[in-house]
Amino acid sequence: MFPRIRLRRLRRTPLIRDMVRETTLTKKDLIYPMFIIEGKTQAIASMPGIFRLSINDAIEEVKEIVELGIPAIILFGIPKKKDKLATQAYAKEGIIQRAVRAIKDEVGDNLVVITDVCLCEYMDHGHCGIVKGNEILNDPTLELLAKTAVSHAEAGADIVAPSDMMDGRVKAIREALDEEGFENVAIMSYSAKYASSFYSPFREAADSAPAFGDRKSYQMDIGNAEEALREVALDIEEGADIVMVKPALAYLDVIYRIKKTFGMPTAAYNVSGEYAMIKAAAERNLIDEKAIVYETLLSIKRAGADLILTYFAKEVAGWI
Ligand code: PBG
């Protein structure tokens, strides 16, 4: 008891504080999301510093990413042509398939290439599954997701990351990958993905806003945490290698519970809205961007995440 115990003793100097810091952020924690567009590179108004990159520009960027020491990227495709069966999601010459081949040619095993497996960017209606009337069909969608994942693996992806929230998709993808001889391609599942309002800048970036309705019949209700545990348990049973919580900041409790309960490699997605808010406040000089970003990412790690998908990855890697 005080005065014998004084916790301030270990806060006295920067070195002592460093020695007893429980959580640290390292480059190896970071995954950098990239948008690849068919055509010329374009800026994204709501996400300063992030671009929709042509394949050529993406190759320049991955060289920089390897140099910075960031271990992984996750790719999102923006195709020229969208339709009702998302055919460009699994086309051999689709934007992601071409991008993965080109990037892997350049970097080999010096960079882990993860691909987002979803159909919303490739569907003319912007939903993550096949639509019938106003319904998003679950089971018929699984086949397209599995095809998409296999086509990414064929192109050279190391990890596929289903973000659609259809039931049973991890199993469908695992089986399809194994059948095609890709038993060593891992699955990072967006297990607890919420129907969040924090995705709106992404939907501008990926041109994937739903043309009608919303995603609440497949993405999780924002009030639920117990259900997140059930989602994760099922994904692990179905063969997920890494589980993910998305978004990150408003769901730190969910990250904490999932890491504690399952002890799985756990990722958290620091999403577009979280990025845009910090950038907007920093542009107005309302906050110290560097300090806020560091504190934010550290909180996500402290909650239990092993990996953080973040648009800040390049900036942060430059500081560490
Ligand atoms: C695709 C997908 C989305 C995000 C990642 N994959 C958008 C959505 O579900 O509407 C969001 C990422 C972000 O906001 O940064 N389904």
Side-chain angles (χ1 to χ4, degrees), residues 153-276:
E154 272 166 356
D158 299 293
I159 301 177
V160 293
S163 69
D164 52 283
M165 288 302 277
M166 298 298 125
D167 288 328
R169 91 274 210 203
V170 172
K171 178 169 185 272
I173 289 173
R174 185 70 271 159
E175 283 174 1
L177 288 173
D178 290 355
E179 226 162 81
E180 298 298 324
F182 296 111
E183 59 277 340
N184 289 324
V185 171
I187 298 176
M188 176 169 80
S189 180
Y190 289 70
S191 301
K193 177 173 176 178
Y194 287 88
S196 166
S197 299
F198 281 96
Y199 308 147
S200 45
F202 174 95
R203 291 180 188 170
E204 180 209 329
D207 188 21
S208 66
F212 66 90
D214 53 40
R215 303 209 202 287
K216 288 182 182 161
S217 75
Y218 42 107
Q219 298 181 347
M220 281 184 58
D221 189 277
I222 59 174
N224 295 357
E226 297 294 341
E227 189 189 350
L229 299 181
R230 296 182 67 200
E231 281 285 4
V232 171
L234 284 170
D235 279 3
I236 295 169
E237 236 177 80
E238 291 181 25
D241 301 283
I242 301 172
V243 295
M244 194 204 296
V245 176
K246 176 182 170 200
L249 272 190
Y251 300 87
L252 293 178
D253 59 319
V254 177
I255 298 172
Y256 178 80
R257 289 174 66 168
I258 286 174
K259 185 63 189 181
K260 266 267 184 298
T261 306
F262 300 101
M264 287 281 289
T266 303
Y269 202 139
N270 176 223
V271 298
S272 56
E274 301 171 38
Y275 176 83

